[in-house]
Structures are given as C-alpha cells and as structure tokens.
Amino acid sequence: MPRAPTGRRTVATNRKARHRYQLLDQWEAGLVLVGPEVKSVRAGKVSFKDSFAKIEGGEVWLHNLHITPYDSANRWNADPERPRKLLLQRREIRKLVAAVEQKGLTLVPLNLYLKGPYVKATLALAKGKQLHDKREALRRRTQEREARRAMRGEDR
C-alpha cells in the first residue's frame, strides 16, 4: 500500500463514492475501534460496500463498514458490521447536522487511513448524482482522455 509523504498510509478507499455522489465538503474523523479491529484494519481487511455515516443523538456513527474479524483474536472479535463511532469536534458535528437536515445531503466515508497509531476516516458531505450526471461525467472523462492522446500524437 502506498505511503503518503505526510505519514499517512491509506488502508481502504471507497471508489464508488465519487461515482455515485457529488462531493461538497470533507472532514477528517477518528474512528473508535476495539483492539482486534485495529489489527484487521492494518492488514487492509476493510470493505466500504454500502457504508454511510449517520448523526444520532449528537454523535456521528459509521454504519455498514465491514472489518473482517482478526483470526488470532477469536472470542474478542466484535461484530464485523457493527456501527462505529466517529470522533469529530462539536462545532463540526453542528455543521453536519445543519447540512444534512436542511439541505438533504448525505454523509459518505471516502477512505480509511492510518495516521501514526490512529485509524482515521475521511468523511464527505455529498449530494446524490442522477443517472444523467453520471453519464455526463463519463463522457467528459472520455473526451479529456482522447484530447490527451491527440496531443501526444498517438494513433489509437
């Protein structure tokens, strides 16, 4: 796994998030985990399939993030898809509550990474894309790729 120059090591990325949503703003949040979960995250055994964040009782929770149980921990393993608390400052949570309730936006996890001994998540405030928006983005990427090829002089 590639290491970023800041000491961050990306463990898992939610690739579908950028396709399904228009990302408006991003936050870094700590993740509350138990010991065996940290070992599984360090091993990269994480899946973002259908994961989302939700604000409940003034706290932010990450739902449906699958962390595979660590083999050597046997009975101390937690439920792989249990809700996990995200650590954000109170003023950040207030901003998120306002945006989610008033504007109807969604909180989507983008990636999980290690920052020193801590596991962190990048959380994005996002607006769902319609099918025509996805097609437009795909069309734009294709045109940019073809323009780059033409500039290089490739005959594809």
Side-chain angles (χ1 to χ4, degrees), residues 52-57 59-63 86 100 107 123:
F52 63 96
K54 195 174 186 181
I55 302 170
E56 299 169 349
E59 297 177 336
V60 184
W61 293 85
L62 187 59
H63 294 270
L86 291 171
V100 169
L107 291 172
L123 196 63

Side-chain angles (χ1 to χ4, degrees), residues 35-53:
E37 288 179 323
V38 175
K39 292 196 175 236
S40 285
V41 168
R42 287 185 183 278
K45 308 228 181 210
V46 179
S47 174
F48 277 107
K49 186 172 180 152
D50 298 328
S51 63
F52 63 96

Side-chain angles (χ1 to χ4, degrees), residues 19-20 128-139:
H19 177 69
R20 291 182 179 166
K129 282 186 183 177
Q130 299 294 321
L131 182 61
H132 60 85
D133 293 334
K134 293 177 188 177
R135 288 180 181 156
E136 180 61 35
L138 184 62
R139 190 176 307 119

Side-chain angles (χ1 to χ4, degrees), residues 99-115:
V100 169
E101 288 180 356
Q102 293 174 1
K103 299 176 187 172
L105 301 175
T106 307
L107 291 172
V108 180
L110 296 180
N111 60 24
L112 225 58
Y113 58 92
L114 299 169
K115 190 172 182 180

